Amino acid sequence: MSPVVLGVGTAFLGLIGIATWKAPRLTSVIFWALVATIFVGAALLLTMPGTFADKALWLTMFVPVLWAAFQFWTYWEKRSWVVVAGLIGVSLISAAIVFTTDPMAG
């Protein structure tokens, strides 16, 4: 990777970290819920049984519901840091599933 890409990525992560520290609920709704939804959708696409077309069809309908559920959870939970930790944890677990699953196995 080039130093420019690493520098921009580091700056972006720093800004997200500062934003999460200052306004955890707002950052959870805008950023962390989207990231968690993308990674959960990708993990489900790789691990669900069936053909790719069937999985893609069902996930196309399910992903907006999941995203809305994460956003509702952000404001439903009384402790904002529980939501931040949960969304980051779900993202990390789903990312681990995505990066360790063989896409050609299914």
Side-chain angles (χ1 to χ4, degrees):
M1 252 193 233
S2 73
V4 173
V5 172
L6 289 175
V8 170
T10 303
F12 179 74
L13 288 178
L15 287 174
I16 290 296
I18 291 170
T20 302
W21 182 260
K22 294 288 186 181
R25 286 193 198 277
L26 180 65
T27 311
S28 293
V29 163
I30 293 173
F31 183 75
W32 293 118
L34 177 63
V35 170
T37 302
I38 290 169
F39 277 117
V40 168
L44 288 174
L45 188 62
L46 287 174
T47 58
M48 284 176 34
T51 64
F52 180 81
D54 291 339
K55 293 187 287 188
L57 173 68
W58 284 106
L59 282 173
T60 301
M61 293 184 282
F62 176 68
V63 163
V65 174
L66 180 65
W67 191 15
F70 283 153
Q71 290 176 345
F72 277 116
W73 180 42
T74 300
Y75 285 103
W76 193 274
E77 178 68 40
K78 292 185 185 342
R79 297 163 301 187
S80 60
W81 285 102
V82 170
V83 177
V84 172
L87 289 174
I88 291 173
V90 165
S91 299
L92 291 175
I93 291 168
S94 298
I97 292 169
V98 168
F99 291 129
T100 59
T101 303
D102 181 21
M104 298 304 200

